[in-house]
Amino acid sequence: MKRTVILWTILAAICASAHVTSARPMVQKPQSEMDFEIVGGRIYLQASINGHPIRAVLDSGAGTTVIDLDLAAQLGLPTAGSLAVQGGGNATVGGKFLTKANIEFGGFSEPIPIAIPIHSLDGMEGRPIQAIIGYNFFKDHVLEIDYGKRRLRLFATEAGFKPVGTTLPARIEGGLCRVSATMKVGTESFPLETVIDTGASGSALTTRFVEAHSLQVDSTPVFQIGAGVGGVAKGRLFRPDAFVVADHTLARPIVAMTESGGGVVGNRSTFDFLLGAEILQRFVVTFDYAHKSVSLLPQSDADKPFEADKTGLQILSEGPNLNQFRVIGVLPGSTAELAGVKVGDVIEAVDGVPANKSALHELREKFKSRDAKQWKLGIRRDGKRFDVIVQSKSVI
């Protein structure tokens, strides 16, 4: 029997009733602590599935915990029926229900109810995506994510827990954590129904909001702004004057205006704004679904400028080790287009250093550097190798 499951994944106001909490008492010890790695803003945890070591993404935007469909088959995990899954793209993809699969990490064991083909996102991520830890785990624990220290702390959902930072009332609907925020554009302020998504690298206005409001802002041309289960999302980037959440104002963040019809951020979305890791990394974030709250404590660098890509390149990783980099998009009017870079080109070197010495997320961060004036790219096209100079200029 085929059922449809809505899965939010990968992919990204001064709140009424918000209050500032005191520092957490030292007697409140976590049940578990673990380090994590950040790749493209996403949180990767060391874990295992039925004893097989993996790395899993901690994703508050995922409606359930999942494993990659091919990996489930390799591990011989028993299945029980099919399902269809919708994510960030327009399409749905097929998956399987699982009966005897568990993911273990930090001393906890969590059932994995479904398997879906998330490995299709490996090229956009630059590393294998094997599993995603979603709503099932968030609802049963208090999670404190310290992005600055790359540290996850897990607490029991007891009534006496006191998080650090400013606490916001949250609405947990459809497995998603929603809070109120505000965006300021010129003299106007827009209240935003906001979903907090640790699995989204950037932040985005949904198509529903974009179509309902005629924002008069400078923006990039339309291009691919993200990818998820079910396909890609297109839109434009712009900078609102400010984004306000948990009594903290962030100046000129980079935000996408989604223009895709389908998917969870499309015109049928039930919220206005997807709050992703580029903003979340500036806080210590505490999720407490049991008490319907989220707490945000600004890091010391919370107010640093937001840096955009300065080339206009969209790059996909390929090959068995995901360390070959192919251009899949060149933003019209960007310095990469002016330098003659074309879709299909392979980047073999950056400033004389072989590109395969870097991971995809490291290249993307390099091309955001505010200190670089230009980059010399070694390009291979149709079997020929040549160099181009791409000047540094922010796309927005």
Side-chain angles (χ1 to χ4, degrees):
M1 177 180 180
K2 180 172 285 191
R3 288 184 274 172
T4 299
V5 173
I6 303 298
L7 176 69
W8 304 70
T9 183
I10 312 289
L11 274 181
I14 297 176
C15 204
S17 303
H19 65 280
V20 179
T21 66
S22 59
R24 187 174 55 247
M26 294 301 294
V27 294
Q28 287 186 272
K29 295 186 180 298
Q31 293 178 308
S32 180
E33 292 188 69
M34 64 199 82
D35 295 326
F36 60 78
E37 181 184 8
I38 294 180
V39 176
R42 279 172 280 276
I43 297 167
Y44 280 81
L45 300 172
Q46 290 185 338
S48 63
I49 295 177
N50 292 8
H52 179 84
I54 64 157
R55 290 213 175 241
V57 175
L58 184 67
D59 187 356
S60 65
T64 189
T65 297
V66 302
I67 182 178
D68 176 61
L69 186 62
D70 286 349
L71 179 58
Q74 292 171 20
L75 298 178
L77 302 180
T79 62
S82 301
L83 73 155
V85 175
Q86 180 185 6
N90 292 326
T92 58
V93 297
K96 298 286 187 180
F97 289 103
L98 302 177
T99 57
K100 295 180 181 179
N102 289 280
I103 185 167
E104 296 91 23
F105 61 99
F108 294 94
S109 181
E110 178 75 19
I112 308 175
I114 64 174
I116 61 172
I118 53 178
H119 71 87
S120 60
L121 303 174
D122 293 355
M124 292 300 297
E125 185 75 345
R127 68 179 302 164
I129 300 176
Q130 298 172 301
I132 297 170
I133 300 167
Y135 170 74
N136 315 52
F137 191 75
F138 279 78
K139 70 180 177 62
D140 293 330
H141 305 276
V142 176
L143 288 77
E144 181 186 86
I145 302 171
D146 190 332
Y147 281 97
K149 294 181 178 178
R150 307 290 198 269
R151 192 75 171 162
L152 172 66
R153 302 179 184 92
L154 303 174
F155 296 86
T157 57
E158 56 192 23
F161 177 81
K162 293 188 179 298
V164 295
T166 301
T167 298
L168 305 174
R171 297 168 297 285
I172 313 302
E173 299 176 12
L176 299 174
C177 180
R178 302 165 183 247
V179 299
S180 296
T182 296
M183 179 181 69
K184 296 182 179 180
V185 178
T187 59
E188 292 189 87
S189 293
F190 298 90
L192 300 174
E193 173 83 358
T194 298
V195 165
I196 300 182
D197 187 354
T198 62
S201 57
S203 299
L205 292 168
T206 63
T207 305
R208 182 189 79 162
F209 180 91
V210 172
E211 291 180 346
H213 300 82
S214 298
L215 297 179
Q216 302 301 312
V217 294
D218 293 330
S219 66
T220 67
V222 175
F223 71 110
Q224 180 180 318
I225 57 172
V229 173
V232 301
K234 292 186 176 182
R236 296 173 287 143
L237 297 180
F238 83 110
R239 291 181 184 265
D241 293 293
F243 177 77
V244 186
V245 64
D247 292 338
H248 195 84
T249 300
L250 298 166
R252 293 181 55 76
I254 300 163
V255 173
M257 292 187 287
T258 309
E259 296 190 5
S260 297
V264 295
V265 292
N267 50 21
R268 296 182 182 178
S269 176
T270 60
F271 59 94
D272 303 314
F273 190 78
L274 190 74
L275 177 56
E278 191 168 24
I279 290 176
L280 292 174
Q281 286 184 95
R282 297 170 181 240
F283 297 88
V284 176
V285 184
T286 304
F287 293 92
D288 187 352
Y289 283 17
H291 300 99
K292 298 181 181 179
S293 70
V294 173
S295 300
L296 300 173
L297 176 69
Q299 306 270 11
S300 60
D301 63 349
D303 295 323
K304 68 182 180 181
F306 289 86
E307 299 293 342
D309 170 70
K310 296 175 175 61
T311 65
L313 290 172
Q314 291 181 285
I315 308 169
L316 182 78
S317 57
E318 299 178 327
N321 297 316
L322 296 173
N323 63 352
Q324 300 171 23
F325 305 109
R326 185 176 299 277
V327 177
I328 61 169
V330 181
L331 194 65
S334 66
T335 56
E337 183 186 56
L338 295 175
V341 183
K342 298 182 181 298
V343 172
D345 287 350
V346 175
I347 299 174
E348 293 192 336
V350 179
D351 294 333
V353 179
N356 62 12
K357 299 292 185 182
S358 300
L360 179 59
H361 72 277
E362 293 171 331
L363 282 184
R364 288 171 173 162
E365 286 302 311
K366 183 187 292 289
F367 293 149
K368 290 182 179 181
S369 171
R370 67 184 313 172
D371 298 323
K373 303 300 181 184
Q374 62 182 31
W375 295 275
K376 183 174 76 171
L377 304 185
I379 298 292
R380 184 168 296 280
R381 180 190 301 162
D382 299 328
K384 298 180 180 180
R385 174 68 156 73
F386 57 93
D387 293 335
V388 299
I389 300 297
V390 177
Q391 302 295 325
S392 174
K393 182 182 179 182
S394 181
V395 298
I396 187 65

